[in-house]
Amino acid sequence: MAKTNVKKKKKVNVEAYGQAHIHASFNNIIISLTNNNGQVISWSSAGKMGFRGSKKNTPYAAQLAAADCSKEAYENGLRKVKVFVKGPGAGRESAIRTIHNSGIIVTEIVDTTPLPHNGCRPPKRRRV
């Protein structure tokens, strides 16, 4: 007889003020709501919501993921967030708007998208 592996949910200290981290890549969007120590209260992504392929990088998928994530965090007691947005994806604004509409007040928006300092070497010139 095989053992059933039941994971116990880790208890996270939820204050009224926290942070929202939105990672919007070209393929997916991941939203994490954390307390000020960085411990995740709730998270969601477009893939978790059931979207596959190119549908994951749409504003609608970001909207559903943000609604799912913020609903759980609001029930736990999160009321205000500072939003950190990273990446060039399509659902950045709609995710922020949905978090605000779900009852969580957005106090500040910070763009933490990494910028290359001259980046990597470009491919050699095409000869035709």
Side-chain angles (χ1 to χ4, degrees), residues 30-107:
I30 301 168
I31 301 158
S32 305
L33 295 177
T34 67
N35 60 11
N36 281 330
N37 297 335
Q39 297 170 315
V40 176
I41 297 165
S42 67
W43 71 275
S44 188
S45 69
K48 184 181 175 187
M49 299 311 296
F51 291 94
R52 288 284 167 249
S54 61
K55 293 179 191 75
K56 287 195 293 188
N57 186 33
T58 58
Y60 179 66
Q63 185 179 336
L64 289 186
D68 174 54
C69 184
S70 55
K71 179 176 163 253
E72 186 184 334
Y74 190 83
E75 289 168 1
N76 287 337
L78 189 69
R79 295 295 178 262
K80 290 184 178 181
V81 290
K82 179 179 180 181
V83 178
F84 294 94
V85 186
K86 181 181 275 190
R92 294 159 43 118
E93 287 81 21
S94 65
I96 297 169
R97 203 171 290 121
T98 306
I99 289 171
H100 183 72
N101 290 342
S102 67
I104 298 174
I105 299 166
V106 175
T107 58

